[in-house]
Amino acid sequence: MDSDAIVIGAGVIGLTTAVVLAESGSRVRVRTAEEPRQTTSAVAGALWWPYRIEPEDRTAGWSLRTLEVLTGLADHPEETGVRMVTGTMAGSETAGLGEWAAAVPGLRSAVPEELPAGQDQGLRATLPLVDMPTHLDYLRRRLTAAGGVVEERGPLRPGSWQDLAESSGAVLNCSGLGSRQLVPDPAVRPVRGQLVVVENPGVREWLVAADPRSSETLYLFPQPYGLVLGGTAGEDDWELAPDPATAEAILDRCARVRPDLRGAKVLAHRVGLRPSRVGGVRLEQERLPGGGLGVHNYGHGGAGVTVAWGCAEEAAGLAAAG
Ligand SMILES: Cc1cc2nc3c(=O)[nH]c(=O)nc-3n(C[C@H](O)[C@H](O)[C@H](O)COP(=O)(O)OP(=O)(O)OC[C@H]3O[C@@H](n4cnc5c(N)ncnc54)[C@H](O)[C@@H]3O)c2cc1C
């Protein structure tokens, strides 16, 4: 055996899982089709918030554990990409959330002057906002420092992931949307998200709001690389090219709540396919035909960044339990 664990996938789920394993003493190899900055994870906004993820009972614990870890990483934002930023979740109230909401430090109802025009309720909180390209670089450095390696060797063929068990103690499948073909698991489906990054005219807080004129949400996330504007959620939409009309609609929605965004210089258009799964996240062991151990950790939908550390620790625990 040339490693104790092989992790498939170098998005936020795979890298975080690999870091937890390597820092607990395992020899870890990460096998990925794309380098970390080319993954869906690099596209994410990315705010800590359990959005479009199931099952609710398990997600709460994973989210709160991740909140704890990300809050610690925010002590070194330049290095980790994680910052604690205050903002407003317009259109939401704590009663509509799960029990986890009571455990989020400082989460409270917004007062009217903190809400955008047209909204009559909302929440205020200071939460981790993650600059994902920087965060993925950080996770990779941390993995390397703990002795782990990342191998970019193209996509594994459907079903072939189990063969990796011949050279490793455990195989951890963190391939996100790729699991649809790789496992194969037809319950895995894309939920397409399109974003526009613009030059920031001075927005310091994040804002998430339901747009009263459409079924879409809108959000503004101030990142060091620009202001991220969103968002869309297209179920079963595989299109990776940005749609100009969708970009215009996002800009228009955001400019209605922040008029100084009208005419803001566009820096980039981004599209990512959220790895959604009917039935929710799959995080469980599978005994492989040759006797090896598989651990699945995929299907994190719209909240992979929000649950990454909780899921990584549980997956590493399953791998260690054998
Ligand atoms: C527009 C948008 C905004 C988002 N905003 C947020 C947010 O604010 N907060 C939040 O928590 N989440 C957010 N998300 C969701 C989050 O990005 C995902 O849940 C998360 O990135 C999933 O991570 P992952 O590591 O499972 O998948 P990925 O990042 O897709 O990584 C999958 C990895 O598996 C590899 N792989 C796949 N198939 C194979 C194969 N056959 N062989 C070898 N390797 C393979 C890939 O190369 C890649 O390395 C957002 C997503 C989008 C699209």
Side-chain angles (χ1 to χ4, degrees), residues 37 44-47 70-85 127-139 141 222-225 305:
R37 280 181 171 242
L47 182 70
L70 292 180
T71 301
L73 295 182
D75 287 344
H76 305 283
E78 271 80 25
E79 182 192 352
T80 65
V82 186
R83 290 173 175 75
M84 298 303 286
V85 180
L127 299 172
L129 184 65
V130 188
D131 162 359
M132 286 306 294
T134 301
H135 188 59
L136 292 167
D137 288 352
Y138 162 75
L139 290 173
R141 282 198 307 275
Q223 290 286 6
Y225 55 81
V305 182

Short mmCIF file of all heavy atoms in Angstrom, two decimals, residues 37 44-47 70-85 127-139 141 222-225 305:
data_model
loop_
_atom_site.label_atom_id
_atom_site.label_comp_id
_atom_site.label_asym_id
_atom_site.label_seq_id
_atom_site.Cartn_x
_atom_site.Cartn_y
_atom_site.Cartn_z
N ARG A 37 -8.41 25.28 -8.44
CA ARG A 37 -8.99 26.54 -8.91
C ARG A 37 -9.90 26.38 -10.12
O ARG A 37 -10.50 27.35 -10.56
CB ARG A 37 -7.88 27.55 -9.21
CG ARG A 37 -7.34 28.23 -7.94
CD ARG A 37 -6.26 29.23 -8.29
NE ARG A 37 -5.87 30.04 -7.14
CZ ARG A 37 -6.02 31.35 -7.07
NH1 ARG A 37 -6.57 32.02 -8.06
NH2 ARG A 37 -5.62 32.01 -6.00
N ALA A 44 -17.77 29.45 -6.04
CA ALA A 44 -18.72 29.83 -4.98
C ALA A 44 -18.41 31.19 -4.39
O ALA A 44 -17.25 31.61 -4.31
CB ALA A 44 -18.67 28.78 -3.86
N GLY A 45 -19.45 31.87 -3.89
CA GLY A 45 -19.45 33.27 -3.45
C GLY A 45 -18.49 33.73 -2.38
O GLY A 45 -17.78 34.69 -2.57
N ALA A 46 -18.32 33.12 -1.28
CA ALA A 46 -19.00 31.98 -0.68
C ALA A 46 -19.29 32.33 0.78
O ALA A 46 -18.38 32.52 1.56
CB ALA A 46 -18.09 30.74 -0.72
N LEU A 47 -20.56 32.40 1.10
CA LEU A 47 -21.00 32.75 2.45
C LEU A 47 -21.33 31.48 3.23
O LEU A 47 -21.89 30.53 2.66
CB LEU A 47 -22.27 33.62 2.35
CG LEU A 47 -22.86 34.13 3.67
CD1 LEU A 47 -21.94 35.19 4.29
CD2 LEU A 47 -24.26 34.71 3.45
N LEU A 70 -14.21 27.80 10.59
CA LEU A 70 -13.99 28.97 9.72
C LEU A 70 -13.81 30.25 10.54
O LEU A 70 -13.01 31.12 10.18
CB LEU A 70 -15.17 29.13 8.75
CG LEU A 70 -15.31 28.03 7.68
CD1 LEU A 70 -16.53 28.32 6.78
CD2 LEU A 70 -14.06 27.91 6.81
N THR A 71 -14.53 30.35 11.65
CA THR A 71 -14.38 31.54 12.51
C THR A 71 -12.94 31.62 13.01
O THR A 71 -12.35 32.71 13.06
CB THR A 71 -15.38 31.47 13.69
OG1 THR A 71 -16.70 31.41 13.15
CG2 THR A 71 -15.27 32.69 14.59
N GLY A 72 -12.35 30.50 13.35
CA GLY A 72 -10.94 30.48 13.76
C GLY A 72 -10.01 30.88 12.62
O GLY A 72 -9.07 31.66 12.79
N LEU A 73 -10.30 30.36 11.41
CA LEU A 73 -9.44 30.67 10.25
C LEU A 73 -9.50 32.15 9.89
O LEU A 73 -8.57 32.70 9.29
CB LEU A 73 -9.85 29.82 9.04
CG LEU A 73 -9.65 28.31 9.17
CD1 LEU A 73 -10.05 27.60 7.87
CD2 LEU A 73 -8.21 27.96 9.53
N ALA A 74 -10.61 32.81 10.26
CA ALA A 74 -10.77 34.23 9.94
C ALA A 74 -9.81 35.12 10.73
O ALA A 74 -9.69 36.31 10.45
CB ALA A 74 -12.21 34.66 10.19
N ASP A 75 -9.08 34.54 11.70
CA ASP A 75 -8.03 35.32 12.39
C ASP A 75 -6.89 35.66 11.43
O ASP A 75 -6.09 36.54 11.71
CB ASP A 75 -7.46 34.51 13.57
CG ASP A 75 -8.45 34.44 14.73
OD1 ASP A 75 -9.40 35.24 14.75
OD2 ASP A 75 -8.26 33.57 15.61
N HIS A 76 -6.78 34.90 10.32
CA HIS A 76 -5.69 35.12 9.36
C HIS A 76 -6.26 35.19 7.95
O HIS A 76 -6.03 34.29 7.12
CB HIS A 76 -4.66 33.98 9.48
CG HIS A 76 -4.14 33.81 10.86
ND1 HIS A 76 -3.21 34.66 11.41
CD2 HIS A 76 -4.46 32.93 11.84
CE1 HIS A 76 -2.96 34.30 12.65
NE2 HIS A 76 -3.72 33.25 12.95
N PRO A 77 -7.03 36.24 7.64
CA PRO A 77 -7.76 36.27 6.37
C PRO A 77 -6.88 36.26 5.12
O PRO A 77 -7.24 35.61 4.13
CB PRO A 77 -8.58 37.57 6.45
CG PRO A 77 -7.99 38.36 7.56
CD PRO A 77 -7.32 37.41 8.48
N GLU A 78 -5.74 36.94 5.15
CA GLU A 78 -4.91 36.96 3.93
C GLU A 78 -4.42 35.55 3.60
O GLU A 78 -4.35 35.15 2.45
CB GLU A 78 -3.69 37.88 4.07
CG GLU A 78 -3.97 39.32 3.67
CD GLU A 78 -4.68 40.09 4.78
OE1 GLU A 78 -4.52 39.68 5.95
OE2 GLU A 78 -5.41 41.04 4.47
N GLU A 79 -4.10 34.80 4.65
CA GLU A 79 -3.57 33.45 4.45
C GLU A 79 -4.67 32.45 4.09
O GLU A 79 -4.52 31.63 3.19
CB GLU A 79 -2.87 33.01 5.76
CG GLU A 79 -2.22 31.66 5.69
CD GLU A 79 -1.81 31.16 7.08
OE1 GLU A 79 -1.91 31.93 8.06
OE2 GLU A 79 -1.41 29.99 7.16
N THR A 80 -5.81 32.52 4.80
CA THR A 80 -6.83 31.47 4.67
C THR A 80 -7.95 31.83 3.69
O THR A 80 -8.71 30.96 3.27
CB THR A 80 -7.50 31.20 6.03
OG1 THR A 80 -8.20 32.39 6.45
CG2 THR A 80 -6.47 30.82 7.09
N GLY A 81 -8.12 33.11 3.38
CA GLY A 81 -9.23 33.54 2.52
C GLY A 81 -10.55 33.70 3.27
O GLY A 81 -11.57 33.98 2.66
N VAL A 82 -10.55 33.48 4.59
CA VAL A 82 -11.80 33.54 5.36
C VAL A 82 -11.86 34.84 6.15
O VAL A 82 -10.90 35.19 6.85
CB VAL A 82 -11.91 32.35 6.35
CG1 VAL A 82 -13.28 32.36 7.03
CG2 VAL A 82 -11.66 31.03 5.65
N ARG A 83 -12.99 35.55 6.01
CA ARG A 83 -13.21 36.81 6.75
C ARG A 83 -14.55 36.75 7.44
O ARG A 83 -15.50 36.18 6.89
CB ARG A 83 -13.23 38.00 5.79
CG ARG A 83 -11.91 38.31 5.19
CD ARG A 83 -11.95 39.38 4.12
NE ARG A 83 -10.57 39.67 3.72
CZ ARG A 83 -9.83 38.86 2.94
NH1 ARG A 83 -10.35 37.76 2.43
NH2 ARG A 83 -8.57 39.16 2.66
N MET A 84 -14.65 37.37 8.62
CA MET A 84 -15.96 37.51 9.28
C MET A 84 -16.55 38.83 8.80
O MET A 84 -15.95 39.89 9.02
CB MET A 84 -15.82 37.51 10.80
CG MET A 84 -15.24 36.22 11.37
SD MET A 84 -16.16 34.72 10.94
CE MET A 84 -17.60 34.91 11.99
N VAL A 85 -17.69 38.76 8.12
CA VAL A 85 -18.29 39.96 7.53
C VAL A 85 -19.74 40.05 7.98
O VAL A 85 -20.46 39.05 8.01
CB VAL A 85 -18.19 39.91 5.98
CG1 VAL A 85 -18.82 41.16 5.35
CG2 VAL A 85 -16.75 39.76 5.53
N LEU A 127 -20.82 36.61 9.69
CA LEU A 127 -20.58 35.22 9.29
C LEU A 127 -19.31 35.10 8.45
O LEU A 127 -18.87 36.09 7.85
CB LEU A 127 -21.77 34.71 8.44
CG LEU A 127 -23.14 34.69 9.12
CD1 LEU A 127 -24.23 34.36 8.11
CD2 LEU A 127 -23.15 33.68 10.26
N PRO A 128 -18.77 33.87 8.34
CA PRO A 128 -17.60 33.70 7.46
C PRO A 128 -17.98 33.92 5.99
O PRO A 128 -18.98 33.37 5.51
CB PRO A 128 -17.21 32.23 7.69
CG PRO A 128 -17.80 31.85 9.00
CD PRO A 128 -19.07 32.64 9.11
N LEU A 129 -17.21 34.75 5.32
CA LEU A 129 -17.33 34.97 3.88
C LEU A 129 -15.99 34.54 3.30
O LEU A 129 -14.95 35.07 3.73
CB LEU A 129 -17.62 36.44 3.59
CG LEU A 129 -17.88 36.82 2.13
CD1 LEU A 129 -19.16 36.15 1.60
CD2 LEU A 129 -18.00 38.34 1.99
N VAL A 130 -16.01 33.59 2.38
CA VAL A 130 -14.76 32.93 1.99
C VAL A 130 -14.37 33.28 0.56
O VAL A 130 -15.15 33.08 -0.38
CB VAL A 130 -14.90 31.39 2.15
CG1 VAL A 130 -13.55 30.72 1.93
CG2 VAL A 130 -15.46 31.03 3.52
N ASP A 131 -13.16 33.79 0.41
CA ASP A 131 -12.55 34.02 -0.90
C ASP A 131 -12.02 32.64 -1.34
O ASP A 131 -10.97 32.19 -0.87
CB ASP A 131 -11.44 35.07 -0.71
CG ASP A 131 -10.44 35.10 -1.85
OD1 ASP A 131 -10.56 34.32 -2.80
OD2 ASP A 131 -9.52 35.94 -1.76
N MET A 132 -12.79 31.98 -2.19
CA MET A 132 -12.53 30.56 -2.44
C MET A 132 -11.20 30.25 -3.15
O MET A 132 -10.53 29.28 -2.78
CB MET A 132 -13.71 29.92 -3.18
CG MET A 132 -14.92 29.69 -2.30
SD MET A 132 -14.56 28.75 -0.79
CE MET A 132 -14.14 27.15 -1.48
N PRO A 133 -10.80 31.03 -4.18
CA PRO A 133 -9.49 30.70 -4.78
C PRO A 133 -8.38 30.73 -3.72
O PRO A 133 -7.54 29.82 -3.66
CB PRO A 133 -9.32 31.78 -5.85
CG PRO A 133 -10.75 32.11 -6.25
CD PRO A 133 -11.53 32.05 -4.96
N THR A 134 -8.39 31.76 -2.86
CA THR A 134 -7.36 31.85 -1.81
C THR A 134 -7.52 30.70 -0.81
O THR A 134 -6.54 30.10 -0.36
CB THR A 134 -7.48 33.21 -1.08
OG1 THR A 134 -7.31 34.24 -2.05
CG2 THR A 134 -6.46 33.36 0.03
N HIS A 135 -8.76 30.37 -0.47
CA HIS A 135 -9.00 29.31 0.51
C HIS A 135 -8.55 27.94 -0.02
O HIS A 135 -7.95 27.14 0.71
CB HIS A 135 -10.49 29.27 0.88
CG HIS A 135 -10.81 28.35 2.01
ND1 HIS A 135 -10.26 28.48 3.26
CD2 HIS A 135 -11.62 27.25 2.07
CE1 HIS A 135 -10.71 27.52 4.04
NE2 HIS A 135 -11.54 26.76 3.35
N LEU A 136 -8.82 27.68 -1.29
CA LEU A 136 -8.39 26.39 -1.87
C LEU A 136 -6.86 26.31 -1.91
O LEU A 136 -6.29 25.25 -1.63
CB LEU A 136 -8.98 26.22 -3.27
CG LEU A 136 -10.51 26.04 -3.30
CD1 LEU A 136 -11.05 26.19 -4.73
CD2 LEU A 136 -10.94 24.69 -2.73
N ASP A 137 -6.21 27.43 -2.22
CA ASP A 137 -4.73 27.44 -2.19
C ASP A 137 -4.23 27.15 -0.76
O ASP A 137 -3.27 26.40 -0.56
CB ASP A 137 -4.18 28.82 -2.60
CG ASP A 137 -4.36 29.10 -4.09
OD1 ASP A 137 -4.75 28.19 -4.84
OD2 ASP A 137 -4.11 30.26 -4.49
N TYR A 138 -4.93 27.73 0.21
CA TYR A 138 -4.55 27.53 1.62
C TYR A 138 -4.69 26.06 2.01
O TYR A 138 -3.81 25.47 2.64
CB TYR A 138 -5.43 28.43 2.51
CG TYR A 138 -5.44 28.02 3.96
CD1 TYR A 138 -4.35 28.28 4.79
CD2 TYR A 138 -6.55 27.35 4.50
CE1 TYR A 138 -4.36 27.89 6.12
CE2 TYR A 138 -6.57 26.97 5.83
CZ TYR A 138 -5.47 27.23 6.63
OH TYR A 138 -5.47 26.84 7.94
N LEU A 139 -5.83 25.47 1.63
CA LEU A 139 -6.06 24.05 1.98
C LEU A 139 -5.00 23.17 1.34
O LEU A 139 -4.47 22.23 1.96
CB LEU A 139 -7.45 23.61 1.52
CG LEU A 139 -8.65 24.20 2.29
CD1 LEU A 139 -9.96 23.79 1.61
CD2 LEU A 139 -8.65 23.73 3.75
N ARG A 141 -1.92 24.02 0.49
CA ARG A 141 -0.63 24.22 1.22
C ARG A 141 -0.64 23.46 2.53
O ARG A 141 0.33 22.83 2.93
CB ARG A 141 -0.41 25.71 1.51
CG ARG A 141 0.07 26.53 0.35
CD ARG A 141 0.67 27.87 0.82
NE ARG A 141 -0.21 28.63 1.69
CZ ARG A 141 -1.16 29.47 1.27
NH1 ARG A 141 -1.36 29.63 -0.01
NH2 ARG A 141 -1.91 30.13 2.14
N PRO A 222 -18.98 41.14 -0.88
CA PRO A 222 -17.72 41.85 -1.11
C PRO A 222 -16.51 40.95 -0.86
O PRO A 222 -16.33 40.44 0.24
CB PRO A 222 -17.77 43.00 -0.08
CG PRO A 222 -18.69 42.53 0.98
CD PRO A 222 -19.63 41.54 0.38
N GLN A 223 -15.73 40.73 -1.92
CA GLN A 223 -14.53 39.89 -1.83
C GLN A 223 -13.31 40.74 -2.18
O GLN A 223 -13.45 41.75 -2.86
CB GLN A 223 -14.64 38.71 -2.82
CG GLN A 223 -15.67 37.67 -2.45
CD GLN A 223 -15.22 36.78 -1.28
OE1 GLN A 223 -14.17 37.01 -0.67
NE2 GLN A 223 -16.03 35.79 -0.94
N PRO A 224 -12.14 40.33 -1.77
CA PRO A 224 -10.95 41.12 -2.12
C PRO A 224 -10.77 41.25 -3.63
O PRO A 224 -10.21 42.23 -4.11
CB PRO A 224 -9.79 40.31 -1.51
CG PRO A 224 -10.43 39.46 -0.46
CD PRO A 224 -11.83 39.18 -0.91
N TYR A 225 -11.24 40.26 -4.41
CA TYR A 225 -11.04 40.30 -5.86
C TYR A 225 -12.18 41.03 -6.60
O TYR A 225 -12.16 41.14 -7.82
CB TYR A 225 -10.89 38.87 -6.43
CG TYR A 225 -12.02 37.92 -6.09
CD1 TYR A 225 -13.21 37.93 -6.82
CD2 TYR A 225 -11.91 37.00 -5.06
CE1 TYR A 225 -14.25 37.06 -6.52
CE2 TYR A 225 -12.93 36.14 -4.74
CZ TYR A 225 -14.09 36.16 -5.48
OH TYR A 225 -15.13 35.30 -5.17
N VAL A 305 -19.27 24.70 1.13
CA VAL A 305 -18.31 25.46 1.94
C VAL A 305 -18.81 25.52 3.39
O VAL A 305 -18.03 25.45 4.34
CB VAL A 305 -18.15 26.89 1.35
CG1 VAL A 305 -17.11 27.69 2.13
CG2 VAL A 305 -17.80 26.83 -0.14
#
